Amino acid sequence: MFAVMDSLEQKILAAFDGPGAPVLSDLGDAAIVKDAASRLVERGWLRATESPDMYARTEDGRLQLAAPRDVTIYSRPECHLCEEAKEQIAPMLKEFGARLTEINIDEDPELRARYDYDVPVIFLGARKAAKHRVDPAQFRRQLRDASA
């Protein structure tokens, strides 16, 4: 089940995209923004930091902002299945104008715990599209459907 984000929640998640922490009150009415941020924390898309009213976007939060044809591959160096998957999907990414983001799970303890024995894991937008091996015909259909 996927939670639907309202525009304020999208604005809050997007605000935590780059360097420099945003001030929540700059995003609108402080009480409303804090309530929306709390919902995002409950969903696991933001996490509170040590500073009051400061948050960091999680990887799950980044995926929520991904466009339908944004492809994320969770992998690790020297993984032969990861390299095979990237080779298989590369022509389709070009064909459909999809954007690839590669995430090294070994650089994030949370992602390593989640995907340690499952790489590669490929997401198309916010949905898991493949794990371990890619079925090229199925992946092409998923990209085509995301383009519609």
Side-chain angles (χ1 to χ4, degrees), residues 16 21 31 42 80 99 104 110 114 138 141 148:
F16 289 94
E42 287 173 14
H80 73 282
R99 185 174 49 181
N104 177 352
E110 208 171 291
R114 185 184 302 176
Q138 179 182 352
R141 277 192 305 277

Side-chain angles (χ1 to χ4, degrees), residues 32-46:
I32 294 171
V33 171
K34 186 154 180 76
D35 183 54
S38 294
R39 288 192 305 271
L40 294 169
V41 169
E42 287 173 14
R43 293 179 192 150
W45 299 345
L46 277 184

Side-chain angles (χ1 to χ4, degrees), residues 16-136:
F16 289 94
D17 189 24
V23 177
L24 290 183
S25 61
D26 290 345
L27 301 174
D29 178 88
I32 294 171
V33 171
K34 186 154 180 76
D35 183 54
S38 294
R39 288 192 305 271
L40 294 169
V41 169
E42 287 173 14
R43 293 179 192 150
W45 299 345
L46 277 184
R47 65 176 167 74
T49 65
E50 294 175 10
S51 302
D53 293 330
M54 299 298 283
Y55 299 89
R57 190 175 62 201
T58 65
E59 182 59 22
D60 289 338
R62 186 193 68 78
L63 283 175
Q64 294 307 309
L65 295 175
R69 287 184 308 194
D70 286 348
V71 176
T72 301
I73 183 167
Y74 295 98
S75 63
R76 64 168 30 112
E78 300 179 31
C79 165
H80 73 282
L81 290 177
C82 301
E83 295 305 317
E84 180 181 298
K86 287 186 280 188
E87 287 175 17
Q88 287 180 312
I89 68 172
M92 290 179 267
L93 297 176
K94 188 173 182 180
E95 176 184 342
F96 287 93
R99 185 174 49 181
L100 177 66
T101 300
E102 186 174 355
I103 307 288
N104 177 352
I105 65 163
D106 292 331
E107 293 177 354
D108 182 327
E110 208 171 291
L111 292 176
R112 185 174 187 172
R114 185 184 302 176
Y115 298 124
D116 197 21
Y117 299 106
D118 288 328
V119 291
V121 179
I122 301 173
F123 279 75
L124 186 55
R127 296 181 184 260
K128 188 185 296 184
K131 179 170 87 171
H132 300 166
R133 298 196 181 272
V134 175
D135 176 335

